[in-house]
Amino acid sequence: MFTLNAQSGVPIYRQLIEQIRRLVASGQLKPGDELPSVRELALAHAVNPMTISKAYSLAEAEGLLARQRGKPMCVAEQEHNKESKAERLKRLRPLVTQLINAAQQLNLSTQDVVSAVSHEMEQEND
Amino acid sequence: MFTLNAQSGVPIYRQLIEQIRRLVASGQLKPGDELPSVRELALAHAVNPMTISKAYSLAEAEGLLARQRGKPMCVAEQEHNKESKAERLKRLRPLVTQLINAAQQLNLSTQDVVSAVSHEMEQEND
Amino acid sequence: MFTLNAQSGVPIYRQLIEQIRRLVASGQLKPGDELPSVRELALAHAVNPMTISKAYSLAEAEGLLARQRGKPMCVAEQEHNKESKAERLKRLRPLVTQLINAAQQLNLSTQDVVSAVSHEMEQEND
Amino acid sequence: MFTLNAQSGVPIYRQLIEQIRRLVASGQLKPGDELPSVRELALAHAVNPMTISKAYSLAEAEGLLARQRGKPMCVAEQEHNKESKAERLKRLRPLVTQLINAAQQLNLSTQDVVSAVSHEMEQEND
DNA sequence: GTGGTCTAGACCACC
DNA sequence: GTGGTCTAGACCACA
């Protein structure tokens, strides 16, 4: 469900929040859906539970998640949880920009990048 | 020449090293080429000179750059500086993967991503 | 554990790295052994923590030390950490050469130097 | 005559001054003796002439050397230029201490060090 | 002018 | 508690 990378330099809890935002924005996490427990997620990704807990707490402060006593956290019931395609594309842009910057520094053409992306996506969809 | 983003979570000096690696790999920086001075780069990106200096030093430790006393650092004269297209595509992969993960979490299709990428690249090339 | 000399002209962080190399080479620091914390060492030697940190980071880049999140750095589990006596004598050579150069410039005889060295070592071993 | 090492971390001009001090202390440079010209020395050691010049100037300020218009610098005529053996041994001590510290960190015995030193000195004397 | 080293002190991420 | 990153600013070595 989540992809955490300890080497990337980006704090783990931020990676987690960002991914929760995306799943909520796309409707893959709907209001009321339960998230994995802190312990479960920590174990699965070999990460300290406090790190997961911090991400959940910040996501709660942001109005993304809601705490339910004695039960796992769930997606908050709120306005415009699910976003339009345009909004979701906007969320993707920073990553696109980053990719393109790298491609230019690597002297790769649009064609190279597009084929790398589409090829990789096909694989993932298997 | 370089794109530094203080918000990205990735340390600035690491962003810089990574971009130097790419420019060397693509031959856009050739052995002997001089890099911008520490102060110049620091000023241009509103960053502390030590941060730039740290990146340069680590790039030197890595064999990427060479120090010339009293002169700006330059690209090291060394083995396979310039890399094949395959190698450069390999360097791009982590970013592609990251993009695709995000796209899937945002429930965007291959077509959405590819068109976002190619559209953005066209703009950059203007 | 370490002998740092701010007056020697050799940067402190380099002195530290060199001494770590020696202790690892001789097996006095074994893989897994923890090093003093940055703050502790900085305090003990009246040096800025960043200076120690820089040494540790470079030693890590060199594969000598390993980082453990939230815990002190430790000696890396790696290839030929411990070195043969011949290798260790090779590490000593630059210092021997330096000493001998000085001795010759001071017009001191082999006997003078040898007795100075052995006398000093006896004292240290007390 | 001089041994300069650009890698050692110790500033070149300091290395030079220290070596002049030693040669004067041992009487290998006597009052009135001329030193190599700045240009000559700079060329021989592939060093910037200003660096040599700085060393000479500081040695002059220290009363070690004297400038003679239009001629190379020479050793100053002064009190106790030449030093007793005890004094010269004292100048050697820091290097001895440094060597011994390294030897202990390398887990080498007095015997190892002494034999390395005497062996090396024999070679030099050939 | 260049880069290098160090300091003092702030804030962050993770255990 | 650990190390990591960054800043602002000083001083040094070298061309």
Side-chain angles (χ1 to χ4, degrees), chain B residues 37-39 50 53 67 70:
Chain B
S37 85
V38 169
R39 290 148 166 82
M50 265 202 68
S53 179
R67 190 193 316 273

Side-chain angles (χ1 to χ4, degrees), chain D residues 43-84:
Chain D
L43 208 69
H45 290 90
V47 157
N48 190 298
M50 278 191 52
T51 305
I52 308 292
S53 179
K54 181 171 183 180
Y56 277 7
S57 296
L58 287 171
E60 186 196 6
E62 199 178 305
L64 218 51
L65 302 185
R67 207 174 288 274
Q68 358 173 41
R69 292 231 173 180
K71 294 182 60 186
M73 297 202 68
C74 69
V75 178
E77 310 272 357
Q78 278 206 323
E79 356 75 77
H80 32 46
N81 272 324
K82 191 157 172 209
E83 297 181 349
S84 72

Side-chain angles (χ1 to χ4, degrees), chain C residues 3 8 10 15 18-19 22 88-103 113 117, chain D residues 5 8 10 22 92-106 108 113 116-118 120-121 124:
Chain C
T3 308
S8 89
V10 180
Q15 295 179 39
E18 183 59 28
Q19 297 187 34
R22 288 187 198 128
R88 285 178 281 139
L89 278 168
K90 210 161 145 195
R91 283 187 185 275
L92 198 66
R93 271 200 84 184
L95 288 175
V96 172
T97 307
Q98 204 182 335
L99 177 69
I100 288 171
N101 275 334
V113 179
V117 168
Chain D
N5 177 359
S8 87
V10 181
R22 288 185 197 131
L92 199 66
R93 272 200 84 184
L95 288 175
V96 172
T97 307
Q98 206 182 333
L99 177 69
I100 288 171
N101 274 335
Q104 289 177 338
Q105 288 173 338
L106 286 165
L108 294 169
V113 180
V117 168
S118 50
E120 192 88 9
M121 283 201 83
E124 293 284 329

Side-chain angles (χ1 to χ4, degrees), chain A residues 70-83:
Chain A
K71 293 182 62 186
M73 296 202 68
C74 68
V75 178
E77 310 273 356
Q78 277 206 323
E79 358 72 77
H80 31 49
N81 273 325
K82 192 159 173 208
E83 297 181 351

Side-chain angles (χ1 to χ4, degrees), chain C residues 6-48:
Chain C
Q7 317 309 327
S8 89
V10 180
I12 294 172
Y13 77 91
R14 275 183 208 274
Q15 295 179 39
L16 190 48
I17 297 177
E18 183 59 28
Q19 297 187 34
I20 294 172
R21 281 196 204 107
R22 288 187 198 128
L23 290 168
V24 169
S26 73
Q28 288 174 70
L29 278 180
K30 283 175 285 292
D33 282 2
E34 289 188 353
L35 275 86
S37 84
V38 168
R39 290 149 164 83
E40 191 182 330
L41 212 48
L43 207 67
H45 290 90
V47 155
N48 189 294

